[in-house]
Amino acid sequence: MAKQPARVLVTGAAGQIGYALVPMIARGAMLGPDQPVIIHMLDIEPAAEALKGVKMELIDAALPLLKGVVATTDAVEACKGVNVAVMVGGFPRKEGMERKDVMSKNVSIYKAQASALEQHAAPDCKVLVVANPANTNALILKEFAPSFPAKNITCLTRLDHNRALGQVSERLDVHVGDVKNVTIWGNHSSTQYPDVNHAAVNTAAGEKSVRELVANDQWLNTEFITTVQQRGAAIIKARKLSSALSAASSACDHVRDWVLGTPKGTWVSMGVYSDGSYGIPAGLIYSFPVTCEKGEWSIVQGLKVDDFSRAKMDATAKELVEEKSLAYSCLN
């Protein structure tokens, strides 16, 4: 029997990431090749015409899994009955703006959208926040949707995770699909910590550790980390626009693994609500290594943390504590 369509919300859908993301969802990259979807697209009033254009293109693509499109500037209409919400819309930092100005704008956006989701989304709706500052936007959304389970609100660090996989695969000249278990700890910002201490590569001679194969701790502890941390800025410099294709692709990866499960023996990085694991303050949305099964994520426990990693993990946690306090000061 054919599956019932899943309703997937994309906010900021007329923007670059939204434009790259909606066809991927409609082709099954997010929820699987046999899952029909109805895509709900939300954007602000000035983008209403562009949004209409995106809807026309989705219709023109004649995608077999696409069972309907809702394009609207009304948050309530957009959130009705959605099973998955991908929050791409946010207020970008503009020249001359202080962090507090950006935070203040995003707090008001996420406060309003949290309320619409809480009241109108499907009961077990899964939320992925993409818009920056992603971790703190997700925390604000959680704050203003108190009846939403904390486990259903996450933020995107899969893009950083995929960037780390890409750097290792390029360095070793191996297929990216043979590299696994890198970890992104912390904030989706330049303080994030890409960690390969537990990462491995499938080789003809069996599984080998990334550190052993790279055989260059200096590179792994310096250039590799800064390349992943600053990859977004490097893409802006090259493209004169921010990453859209890779962000959309990793949003699909994040939700797909969350809903359909991670392959056995493999973990991925997700920004999730901290329960105090690895000494990270509870009550932050922090990126951890997670496995997923039956629609639930679990933080991977028991990984050895050396002094170098501890310092990096604590530094990014400290930034998130500061962001949280800045966001809460915008509420008053």
Side-chain angles (χ1 to χ4, degrees), residues 188-251:
H188 174 60
S189 76
S190 59
T191 67
Q192 63 173 266
Y193 170 42
D195 174 10
V196 296
N197 287 327
H198 311 282
V201 179
N202 291 321
T203 73
E207 208 169 89
K208 304 270 189 194
S209 88
V210 165
R211 275 210 183 266
E212 180 191 338
L213 290 173
V214 169
N216 185 336
D217 283 352
Q218 172 65 19
W219 180 78
L220 284 170
N221 291 346
T222 55
E223 192 185 327
F224 164 74
I225 291 173
T226 53
T227 299
V228 176
Q229 287 174 334
Q230 294 164 18
R231 186 69 160 186
I235 287 168
I236 289 173
K237 192 174 174 201
R239 265 190 96 224
K240 309 297 179 263
L241 294 163
S242 60
S243 354
L245 183 154
S246 53
S249 180
S250 57

Side-chain angles (χ1 to χ4, degrees), residues 227-299:
T227 299
V228 176
Q229 287 174 334
Q230 294 164 18
R231 186 69 160 186
I235 287 168
I236 289 173
K237 192 174 174 201
R239 265 190 96 224
K240 309 297 179 263
L241 294 163
S242 60
S243 354
L245 183 154
S246 53
S249 180
S250 57
C252 287
D253 291 345
H254 174 114
V255 176
R256 185 194 64 236
D257 285 345
W258 187 4
V259 172
L260 302 177
T262 45
K264 200 165 172 49
T266 302
W267 67 70
V268 294
S269 304
M270 284 170 66
V272 299
Y273 197 63
S274 171
D275 60 359
S277 291
Y278 295 99
I280 300 307
L284 294 177
I285 300 266
Y286 187 97
S287 182
F288 288 97
V290 303
T291 55
C292 304
E293 191 177 0
K294 295 179 180 161
E296 304 278 339
W297 54 262
S298 308
I299 295 171

Side-chain angles (χ1 to χ4, degrees), residues 7-26 30 37-44 51 54 58 69-75 77-79 82-90 110 113 117 125-126 128 130 248 251-252 255:
R7 292 180 179 271
V8 183
L9 166 65
V10 177
T11 71
Q16 277 218 93
I17 296 173
Y19 184 68
L21 178 58
V22 289
M24 293 183 188
I25 297 169
M30 180 176 278
V37 290
I38 296 169
I39 296 181
H40 291 224
M41 302 192 298
L42 175 69
D43 218 312
I44 54 175
L51 194 62
V54 178
L58 277 174
V69 183
V70 176
T72 181
T73 58
D74 176 49
E77 186 188 355
C79 292
V82 296
N83 307 103
V84 175
V86 186
M87 316 302 282
V88 178
Y110 277 80
Q113 292 184 351
L117 277 170
C125 177
K126 288 176 162 49
L128 166 60
V130 175
C252 287
V255 176

Side-chain angles (χ1 to χ4, degrees), residues 146-183:
S147 72
F148 245 76
K151 66 182 175 61
N152 281 20
I153 297 173
T154 63
C155 84
L156 186 72
T157 55
R158 182 60 175 268
L159 176 54
D160 311 299
H161 179 99
N162 287 351
R163 286 167 171 166
L165 292 174
Q167 289 304 304
V168 170
S169 89
E170 281 208 313
R171 178 80 181 194
L172 294 175
D173 194 21
V174 296
H175 187 266
V176 72
D178 290 327
V179 187
K180 67 175 190 178
N181 298 351
V182 299
T183 301

Side-chain angles (χ1 to χ4, degrees), residues 93-103 326:
R93 188 166 181 169
K94 295 182 177 172
E95 207 173 338
M97 284 184 82
E98 296 295 322
R99 274 178 76 212
K100 180 153 186 174
D101 301 329
V102 185
M103 191 69 80
L326 184 60

